[in-house]
Every structure is written in structure tokens, then in C-alpha cells.
Amino acid sequence: MKREAGLLLHISSLPSKGGIGTLGKEAYDFVDFLVKAKLKIWQVLPLVPTSYGDSPYQSVCSTALNYYFIDYDILKEKGLLRASEYNLKIQNPKVVDYNFLFNTKLNILYKAFKRFNLDNEFLKFVEAGEYKDFAIFMTLKKLNNFKPWYYWNNEFQEWTQELEDYIISSYNDDYLFFVWTQYEFLEQWNKLHNYAKINGINIMGDMPLYVSYDSVEVWKHKELFLLDENKKPTLVAGCPLDCFSEDGQLWGNPIYDWQYMQKDNYSWWNQRIKSAFNLYDILRIDHFRGFDKYYAIPYGSINAKGGWWEEGPSFDFFKDKLNLNIVAEDLGLIDDGVIELMRKVNYPGMKVLEFAFDGNKDNDHKPSNFKENVVVYTGTHDNMPLYQYILDLDEDNLEIFKNDLKNECLLLNVKYRGRSAKTLCKTVVELAFASKANTCIIPIQDLLGLDDSTRMNFPSTLSTANWSFRMSKNMLKDNVLTELLDYIIKYDR
């Protein structure tokens, strides 16, 4: 395995026009920056459409693509939009305003669609039907004021072939529009992805373990989930209480019927993974431990305290996927079953340096304790930015943090810089590059030493602060490029 490094920055966080990052010029500029810095990987979060809560881990469809990322300027170049139709005043360009997007983007995209020539290539795309379920589901959502499917009119709550035919024939314009959003996204994405590939950049995508209750999968394929006769989940997903949360985390996603899935050799999952590798070069699977054992909580619970562990499909699921370029997010409560599964699949797991410097010499996240076959991060999208984490440490824990960091620096021949929270942050970033991990990924917030206002997500919370961080155009300055080049050369990445 060669030693590589990259950055974690979601598409939504790019400094594009229109209120959210897109697949336009700023995405190409970011690829150019990665190339100049001699980095090899761009990691993004799930590209799926977001819905209630704006989370890419709670989507209306596990394989559809987020039309918010479609770039207006590219549509203008194609003659599908005029600048005056999308140059809207953005209240705060430093954050994503999802309410603004919900109220504007679909209407603007619809104008572009009405000017789009429904040519043979597009009609073949429609006929292939890969995004038919998504388009029908979204057409029904529009008919029902974008409410969750379980609040729709009764005649729409149950999928039937007759309902599908009725929607396609009676609301063909809306149906084709939602298919077109996928067609246009893929055209823009594939050009960007090819540009990255030509320039030696691999894109690492992200696959959530679970799907949302309000999703086309649950609406149409109820047999895949543990639901009662009223189509309500019997069990939902989450994780147990730990030092970060005394009530645990209640995610609320319906639990899979793994016994049913096993009978047809996980065909739904196999198609989902195949679709992901059509988009990405590397695939990170979130909450990997849920394949070995998953935490199940009775539906209607107010927290995760009453849950329990159930057996998952474990190695049986992965036995025909061992050659895939998968990264396993093996964080959280790790037991012997997960360790054994990781040994069998031999995917790289994850180590997070924000967890490393706690005074415990056996801590698995310490660089001196992990092996080469891992991806090392300073933090993840769910963590507080590293700079803020250091700032918030009390006097005793800051001393522990510094002592541990100093020892690790000595072991890896890294210069320890401990004058301030900023220099400590830079030291941890350098330590990630210096570590023996084959792959090193740095979230952009940690590379730049940004504070908690730039945090991507506060797990198990609903807030306009979540998923809304945006980078400014002037953040990636020459000194940042110089630092990265120094790390790449010094640590042979």
C-alpha cells in the first residue's frame, strides 16, 4: 500500500454561488488545490438528497443525487438559464441556508428543465429506469406538500404498479423533471470526477448504513425492514450510552430485516454498493460495526437507554466484496466480533487523533499503537473541530493532552509545538501525516485551525448549524499550500 493523503470537504461547503457548494468552478478549483499540494484524495460526505434535518445521513433515497449541488453557471453555459434568474441575494454566504434552497432551487431548476431538449440520450436515461423510484417518490412528495410519505393521502401511502403508472401518465412533467435532476447531476459530476482522475485525485465517497423512515426504500420495499402491520418500525437504530452521551443516541432509522435480505443474497445492498462505485473511487461505509452487531431500540422510545444488541449479517455479507476499495468506519463500541470481522475483510479502519491524547498508553488512536492498514484522521464530520477541542480542555486535561502529544512527537520525530491551541492543532495535523497509517485525511476545519462555528454536525441534534459550514474563497492561502507540501515531502506521502 502506498502512503497517501487527502482532505475532507463536502460539496456543500465549497464557496460556490447560489447558497451552497456546487459541482461548478469552485469544485474544479479545489481539485487544482489538491494537485498543487500533491494530495491524492478528496473525501466527500454522502451525495444523496437531504430532507428534514438537512442530513446526508437521512435521505429520501439511498442512491439518488442531491440536486442542490447542480451548478447554475453550467446550466447558463448550456443555454438553460439566464443569470438574472439565479443571481439571488444570499443573506449569509458563510453558511448553507437550507430553507432558502428549499424555497428557490427547485423552481430555478424547473425553468432550466423546461428549456431542456428531451433528446434521445435523455430518453434512454429515462427508459433505463435507474432513478424511476426516486422520481415517482418526489412527484408524490410534491403532490403532498413535501410531507413524509406516512402523512400522505391514503391512496398514495401504499406503492402499487397501478399508482406508479398513474403518476407517470398524469404527472409526467414533474416525473421527468425529477429524472432530469439526476441526469444533469450525473453529467456535471462525471465531468468533475474525470477531471479529478486525470489529475491523479481519487474521490472517496461515503455510504450511510441506514436509510430514513421517510424514504422511497421504506415506502416501496417494506419487506426490507422490520415494520408492523401499520407500516411503523418495530425497532429503530441508534447507539448505547457512553462517555459522550448518557442517554445514548437515538437515530430513529428503521432496522433492516437481515434474514429476508440474506435469502436473496443481499441484492438490494449489492445494487446500492455497485451504484456507489459508479460515483467514487473509494467508499467509506459509515457505522461499519452495525454489520456485525447493531443496536436496536423499541420504536417510540424517547432515548436509547432501552436498546439492546442484535446479531447482524457479519462476514456473510462481505464474503463476495473483499476486492472492493472500502474503508470501514469502525469507531464507537468495538468488541471481539467487530475485531474479527475487520480481520476477515482486511479493509482499512479509522483512527482519530482527537481521541488519542487522553493519558491512556493503550489508546488505539495513538499513532504509536496503530498499524499501517488504517486511515488516520484528526477528526470526523461528527467531531468538534480540533482547534476548538483543544481550546475547551480544562487545565488538567490540557496537560495530559500536551504530555501525550509530546511523547508521540518524540516517537515519530515530529517537532512539538505547544505554545498555543493553534500551534498544538498544527502539531496534531503534522503527526497525522507522520504516522504509519497508509492514508491520512484531514478535515478542512482542522487543517485551517477553525473554531466551533465551523463544526459540520452535532450528532443526534436538529439544528440549522448542522451541515451548514461553508468555506470562504480566501481560506486556502499560499502558506497552507506550503505547509501541506512540506508534510507530503517530509513524510513521503
Side-chain angles (χ1 to χ4, degrees):
M1 291 290 292
K2 54 187 181 290
R3 285 169 62 78
E4 294 180 315
L7 299 179
L8 168 56
L9 179 73
H10 193 32
I11 302 295
S12 63
S13 298
L14 289 164
S16 314
K17 293 184 288 187
I20 193 169
T22 69
L23 304 174
K25 179 182 182 301
E26 288 73 14
Y28 288 82
D29 289 346
F30 188 66
V31 171
D32 291 343
F33 176 82
L34 294 172
V35 173
K36 285 178 193 169
K38 299 192 182 300
L39 297 166
K40 297 297 180 187
I41 299 170
W42 178 5
Q43 183 179 339
V44 297
L45 300 182
L47 296 178
V48 290
T50 54
S51 184
Y52 180 70
D54 310 315
S55 171
Y57 296 89
Q58 294 277 1
S59 178
V60 294
C61 181
S62 66
T63 54
L65 302 157
N66 192 343
Y67 43 75
Y68 286 165
F69 298 159
I70 293 173
D71 186 72
Y72 290 143
D73 285 343
I74 293 175
L75 294 178
K76 177 176 173 283
E77 288 165 13
K78 293 179 176 182
L80 300 178
L81 281 179
R82 301 182 194 97
S84 59
E85 293 172 319
Y86 64 86
N87 281 340
L88 306 176
K89 185 169 179 175
I90 307 299
Q91 195 167 11
N92 184 358
K94 293 183 179 178
V95 297
V96 180
D97 184 341
Y98 287 98
N99 187 54
F100 171 82
L101 288 166
F102 178 76
N103 288 313
T104 60
K105 187 114 193 184
L106 275 179
N107 292 334
I108 294 170
L109 291 178
Y110 193 76
K111 286 179 182 176
F113 168 68
K114 293 306 287 180
R115 295 178 184 131
F116 174 72
N117 178 26
L118 304 183
D119 56 19
N120 284 336
E121 190 178 342
F122 174 70
L123 294 175
K124 282 180 188 173
F125 185 84
V126 176
E127 187 64 29
E130 185 175 353
Y131 297 97
K132 179 168 75 171
D133 287 351
F134 166 73
I136 288 168
F137 190 71
M138 291 305 296
T139 302
L140 281 163
K141 261 193 173 293
K142 186 180 176 188
L143 280 172
N144 290 272
N145 297 314
F146 291 94
K147 293 176 187 172
W149 67 263
Y150 40 87
Y151 291 137
W152 292 352
N153 292 340
N154 287 338
E155 66 266 29
F156 299 138
Q157 284 194 17
E158 193 74 43
W159 178 89
T160 63
Q161 188 61 55
E162 292 74 22
L163 175 60
E164 183 174 295
D165 294 343
Y166 167 73
I167 292 299
I168 292 174
S169 61
S170 300
Y171 299 93
N172 192 247
D173 212 37
D174 285 330
Y175 167 71
L176 289 177
F177 165 67
F178 283 110
V179 177
W180 173 80
T181 64
Q182 305 302 286
Y183 180 81
E184 182 61 36
F185 182 108
L186 281 172
E187 187 169 291
Q188 294 191 14
W189 173 262
N190 289 338
K191 285 181 179 174
L192 174 64
H193 190 191
N194 287 336
Y195 183 77
K197 272 189 185 174
I198 289 166
N199 284 282
I201 305 297
N202 285 322
I203 296 182
M204 185 194 297
D206 196 308
M207 176 178 283
L209 173 60
Y210 292 114
V211 302
S212 171
Y213 183 36
D214 180 31
S215 64
V216 64
E217 289 84 3
V218 179
W219 175 69
K220 183 174 179 180
H221 298 290
K222 298 180 180 69
E223 70 278 2
L224 299 176
F225 305 91
L226 298 176
L227 307 176
D228 65 17
E229 63 276 8
N230 298 315
K231 296 173 278 190
K232 292 188 183 299
T234 55
L235 297 169
V236 295
C239 64
L241 56 160
D242 57 23
C243 58
F244 298 106
S245 172
E246 60 183 25
D247 290 334
Q249 292 181 25
L250 177 63
W251 302 333
N253 310 75
I255 296 287
Y256 296 116
D257 187 339
W258 284 114
Q259 287 185 335
Y260 177 89
M261 288 180 161
Q262 187 180 37
K263 287 174 186 171
D264 74 344
N265 194 33
Y266 312 103
S267 62
W268 176 81
W269 264 103
N270 293 339
Q271 186 55 48
R272 188 183 178 199
I273 290 173
K274 181 182 176 184
S275 295
F277 275 106
N278 287 335
L279 297 170
Y280 312 122
D281 307 295
I282 310 162
L283 180 63
R284 172 192 179 273
I285 298 183
D286 193 56
H287 197 57
F288 189 82
R289 72 103 54 246
F291 287 98
D292 180 62
K293 288 187 184 69
Y294 58 87
Y295 196 67
I297 305 161
Y299 179 70
S301 299
I302 59 171
N303 58 44
K305 285 182 176 179
W308 60 86
W309 292 101
E310 291 275 0
E311 294 290 331
S314 201
F315 184 69
D316 185 60
F317 178 85
F318 292 102
K319 63 183 186 292
D320 57 352
K321 302 173 181 66
L322 301 182
N323 63 333
L324 298 178
N325 201 355
I326 287 172
V327 172
E329 188 269 284
D330 57 341
L331 305 175
L333 186 62
I334 303 303
D335 56 22
D336 290 344
V338 186
I339 293 168
E340 177 62 11
L341 177 58
M342 289 293 291
R343 185 191 68 77
K344 285 181 175 178
V345 297
N346 200 36
Y347 301 145
M350 286 175 54
K351 300 300 175 189
V352 180
L353 296 191
E354 193 169 296
F355 303 154
F357 311 112
D358 61 354
N360 174 10
K361 65 181 176 60
D362 298 320
N363 186 323
D364 287 343
H365 296 279
K366 279 183 166 58
S368 55
N369 288 334
F370 57 68
K371 303 218 173 8
E372 289 87 355
N373 189 32
V374 297
V375 182
V376 64
Y377 292 80
T378 47
T380 75
H381 63 272
D382 283 335
N383 291 131
M384 183 185 297
L386 179 62
Y387 168 65
Q388 187 72 50
Y389 175 81
I390 296 168
L391 270 184
D392 287 356
L393 289 172
D394 62 34
E395 194 174 333
D396 290 342
N397 283 309
L398 179 59
E399 200 57 33
I400 291 168
F401 182 96
K402 285 180 172 181
N403 286 335
D404 264 6
L405 178 58
K406 199 177 293 183
N407 289 335
E408 293 296 313
C409 286
L410 280 171
L411 290 168
L412 274 75
N413 197 27
V414 171
K415 182 181 178 183
Y416 171 76
R417 291 168 282 178
R419 292 187 308 277
S420 67
K422 284 282 186 189
T423 56
L424 284 167
C425 185
K426 284 182 182 293
T427 304
V428 176
V429 169
E430 183 171 355
L431 193 66
F433 277 88
S435 76
K436 65 183 83 169
N438 287 329
T439 305
C440 162
I441 304 285
I442 310 295
I444 205 81
Q445 292 92 327
D446 294 351
L447 178 69
L448 301 175
L450 304 179
D451 65 21
D452 213 31
S453 66
T454 67
R455 182 170 180 165
M456 200 63 178
N457 181 45
F458 296 77
S460 289
T461 66
L462 286 172
S463 164
T464 55
N466 287 347
W467 317 110
S468 62
F469 162 68
R470 297 194 71 198
M471 193 171 68
S472 300
K473 282 194 175 189
N474 62 354
M475 281 183 171
L476 295 176
K477 296 176 180 171
D478 288 346
N479 65 309
V480 179
L481 181 62
T482 301
E483 274 181 14
L484 286 169
L485 284 168
D486 285 348
Y487 298 154
I488 292 292
I489 294 163
K490 186 175 180 181
Y491 301 112
D492 190 28
R493 291 192 184 275

